[in-house]
Amino acid sequence: MKINVLAGNIEKHKTDAAVILLYENEKPGKIAELVDMALGGMISRLIKKGDFRPKTGAVHLLYPEGRLPAVRLLLVGLGKRSEFTINRLRQAAGKAATSLRSAGAQGITIVTDGIGLDAEELGQALSEGSVLGLYRFLKYKTIDENDREKDLLTITPLTESSGVVRDMQKGVKVGEAIAESTVMVRDMVSSPPADMTPAIIAAKAKEIARQFGLKLQVLEKDQMQKLGMGALLGVASGSAQPPKFVIVEYRKGGTKPFIALVGKTITFDSGGISIKPAENMYKMKDDMSGGAAVLGAIRNAAALKLPLNIVGVLPVTENMPSGSAYKPGDVLRTMSGRTIEILNTDAEGRLILSDALTYACRYKPAVIVDIATLTGACSIALGTEAIGMLGTDDRFKQQMRAAGDRTGERVWELPLWEEYYEQIKSDIADMKNTGGRAGGVITAAALLSKFVQKYPWVHLDIAAMAWTEKERPYTPKGATGIGVRLLTQFLRDFEKKK
Ligand code: BES
Ligand code: MN
Ligand code: ZN
């Protein structure tokens, strides 16, 4: 699909479908008014009668029948101008693109004047929203149902001011790059666990590294043993698939300190000996979403040529039951030297992360951000509208919050008070790997905090967000690719003063 900004005039522009964005309770802008006139006042009548209310996400399809060069005209609501966010524009773009694909259009033109937003931001939001909204995972479909909707081929953001075309196109390119990485992550997360094993993740990282000139290291089991990664190896011990430890470096920041991104990469979480119930277990193929998001974010950093040094660290393994699997009651010795008593083999994410965080500290990073589908408790605490955030550094947490608001991948902070640490005290080891049902998001983070040394640290629990059962305007059902855009924004803003 091609997205190209064009200077022009919708009354003269031939297209399969024109899209007009409208604010609620507002007179249509200059261009919408001209279109309305061409249609003999149809749009204002629709609004007046209440047949179309320009709420966020509302759409209404019309056929101008020769009164405009466009074959179709889609009205899309933006909600109230006073409540406008860039996320609403992304949603509107996603909604417009998917509705028009369903209608059978192959090329669409979006009128961008009158929205009232910086041209570059606008271009980015339009391309992100439409590309992400149109996402489908078809790799495993061999039967092409006749009714499958045809792909959109072109999207044309149209403006009457030729002066902003350049900036808008620049934004379009940024949005396309970011969406492409997000799509890559969605594809990885959607893939069956047999086709997204640790070896395949390592190969994928290699491919990205080659494409973007990144430095890549993949540690094998014997090297993990030498480094003393007993927690990662413990989790991996039940699996027939050898674990991998992926380290990917992007270095375009001169002598600046590294930013460390650490992602939980469990390619399938059966729960291990503390096996999960059968229902919904298949969704545990998404337990590598954190690691995939880290790869996506670093890919974006490279694509956008950010002046930073970034290291991505991915501990990659399955969590499986077998005769060789680690067991409840075992004590694992982590790379840091600290010991962890296992109460439940299903609390494996914090174990592999403990070694990965210790490894990340070798970089003496300016900040460590970890991202993980860590706890089911996160959806109990926050539902499916927020990423759980905990950490040790207020400034970086604030920056993450801002990145979340900007991208629509919102984060909400939970406390990490010292009293919570009582819950992970062990009688025989330095700590235990579960802290009971109460405050499950927090006690998981409490364990992680033991492995970040003195480095500023932000933890993101995406367990409730990596997979969606509910279709959203630019997020179809299934893998969401959550975290890619959030981390990318965090990186882009890293050194900006506010
Ligand atoms: N990968 C799961 C967390 C998860 C649950 C992600 C649901 C997405 C949806 C994690 O490894 C896990 O199993 N956590 C346990 C921890 C418990 C045993 C302390 C959980 O949340 O039940
Ligand atoms: Mn688990
Ligand atoms: Zn897990």
Side-chain angles (χ1 to χ4, degrees):
M1 189 178 65
K2 293 239 175 323
I3 309 180
N4 282 311
V5 181
L6 204 71
N9 195 301
I10 198 69
E11 299 110 79
K12 308 220 178 77
H13 182 81
K14 268 185 86 160
T15 174
D16 274 0
V19 176
I20 292 189
L21 302 157
L22 296 166
Y23 284 111
E24 205 180 337
N25 304 335
E26 231 177 69
K27 261 188 39 199
K30 200 180 96 231
I31 296 171
E33 205 175 28
L34 289 173
V35 171
D36 190 29
M37 258 153 61
L39 296 180
M42 192 188 281
I43 300 177
S44 33
R45 272 202 305 283
L46 273 170
I47 295 177
K48 195 181 253 156
K49 289 217 159 88
D51 290 29
F52 175 63
R53 307 216 291 158
K55 295 197 172 306
T56 322
V59 291
H60 194 99
L61 184 61
L62 296 170
Y63 289 81
E65 315 259 288
R67 286 175 289 180
L68 279 179
V71 179
R72 302 170 185 81
L73 174 66
L74 187 74
L75 309 178
V76 182
L78 282 177
K80 295 194 179 71
R81 193 186 285 267
S82 60
E83 293 166 4
F84 179 78
T85 60
I86 187 107
N87 204 44
R88 288 208 174 164
L89 185 58
R90 239 179 258 121
Q91 292 174 336
K95 205 54 202 263
T98 50
S99 316
L100 288 168
R101 179 176 64 189
S102 305
Q106 296 227 273
I108 73 175
T109 301
I110 306 175
V111 176
T112 62
D113 300 297
I115 297 170
L117 193 70
D118 169 79
E120 190 175 333
E121 278 197 87
L122 199 148
Q124 186 189 333
L126 289 181
S127 58
E128 276 182 18
S130 49
V131 174
L132 295 177
L134 292 167
Y135 175 77
R136 296 188 282 196
F137 185 66
L138 298 173
K139 190 175 165 200
Y140 292 86
K141 292 257 186 209
T142 67
I143 304 167
D144 186 0
E145 297 101 351
N146 282 330
D147 55 0
R148 182 172 306 147
E149 298 163 1
K150 294 228 163 42
D151 284 327
L152 279 190
L153 300 176
T154 61
I155 295 181
T156 310
L158 190 74
T159 173
E160 291 194 345
S161 22
S162 52
V164 305
V165 169
R166 248 184 102 104
D167 282 349
M168 204 181 291
Q169 186 63 27
K170 197 172 149 206
V172 162
K173 286 290 160 210
V174 170
E176 276 187 308
I178 292 175
E180 200 178 297
S181 298
T182 311
V183 162
M184 175 195 84
V185 169
R186 286 182 182 175
D187 281 346
M188 290 174 73
V189 175
S190 304
S191 292
D195 292 346
M196 201 43 63
T197 59
I200 294 172
I201 299 255
K204 188 81 201 165
K206 216 166 267 172
E207 182 190 315
I208 298 165
R210 191 170 350 97
Q211 200 183 346
F212 288 90
L214 311 172
K215 186 178 158 202
L216 183 86
Q217 252 183 295
V218 179
L219 307 187
E220 304 293 336
K221 201 170 156 187
D222 54 329
Q223 291 159 292
M224 296 173 209
Q225 269 154 354
K226 279 200 195 101
L227 287 165
M229 294 179 164
L232 173 57
L233 288 167
V235 173
S237 62
S239 173
Q241 296 289 339
K244 306 279 173 186
F245 193 85
V246 175
I247 307 133
V248 51
E249 286 177 23
Y250 166 72
R251 303 186 70 146
K252 281 283 169 342
T255 57
K256 289 176 193 169
F258 272 93
I259 299 165
L261 304 179
V262 178
K264 172 177 174 182
T265 320
I266 293 286
T267 61
F268 186 71
D269 182 11
S270 70
I273 295 297
S274 314
I275 197 161
K276 287 180 182 294
E279 198 185 359
N280 287 329
M281 196 201 272
Y282 76 98
K283 270 183 222 154
M284 283 298 122
K285 67 178 181 178
D286 82 355
D287 216 17
M288 33 60 74
S289 295
V294 167
L295 291 179
I298 294 183
R299 186 184 188 277
N300 282 336
L304 303 177
K305 302 193 166 63
L306 301 183
L308 299 170
N309 291 322
I310 307 168
V311 59
V313 180
L314 281 67
V316 197
T317 180
E318 292 182 334
N319 183 26
M320 295 291 282
S322 81
S324 59
Y326 80 131
K327 306 167 193 68
D330 277 344
V331 172
L332 303 180
R333 190 173 298 274
T334 63
M335 181 179 169
S336 73
R338 301 284 87 83
T339 55
I340 307 178
E341 182 187 10
I342 305 307
L343 296 201
N344 187 321
T345 63
D346 198 11
E348 84 297 339
R350 61 199 78 182
L351 299 172
I352 66 166
L353 287 172
S354 69
D355 283 340
L357 292 168
T358 300
Y359 191 91
C361 289
R362 291 181 150 199
Y363 283 81
K364 302 186 168 51
V367 60
I368 305 178
V369 177
D370 82 75
I371 177 163
T373 45
L374 204 61
T375 66
C378 201
S379 67
I380 305 299
L382 296 173
T384 53
E385 298 300 331
I387 295 168
M389 174 172 73
L390 301 94
T392 54
D393 186 281
D394 286 335
R395 201 180 107 233
F396 288 122
K397 282 188 286 195
Q398 180 47 38
Q399 289 182 15
M400 194 61 77
R401 201 173 295 123
D405 291 343
R406 180 84 182 272
T407 54
E409 300 195 332
R410 289 175 295 184
V411 303
W412 196 259
E413 190 178 0
L414 294 164
L416 198 51
W417 296 317
E418 64 179 55
E419 286 79 359
Y420 288 108
Y421 287 79
E422 294 293 326
Q423 283 174 244
I424 54 166
K425 282 197 170 143
S426 161
D427 291 334
I428 67 163
D430 296 333
M431 64 200 95
K432 57 187 183 187
N433 81 328
T434 65
R437 282 171 65 83
V441 187
I442 298 172
T443 51
L447 186 140
L448 297 183
S449 74
K450 300 269 190 193
F451 298 91
V452 296
Q453 300 172 24
K454 59 179 195 242
Y455 298 102
W457 164 67
V458 179
H459 162 62
L460 300 170
D461 192 333
I462 56 168
M465 307 293 287
W467 192 265
T468 179
E469 297 298 328
K470 181 172 105 187
E471 176 160 68
R472 292 154 193 266
Y474 60 89
T475 313
K477 277 190 202 177
T480 61
I482 193 88
V484 177
R485 291 184 307 109
L486 173 68
L487 291 176
T488 303
Q489 192 63 42
F490 179 80
L491 294 171
R492 289 180 84 193
D493 291 341
F494 195 71
E495 282 163 339
K496 283 193 196 138
K497 298 275 175 294
K498 51 199 64 135

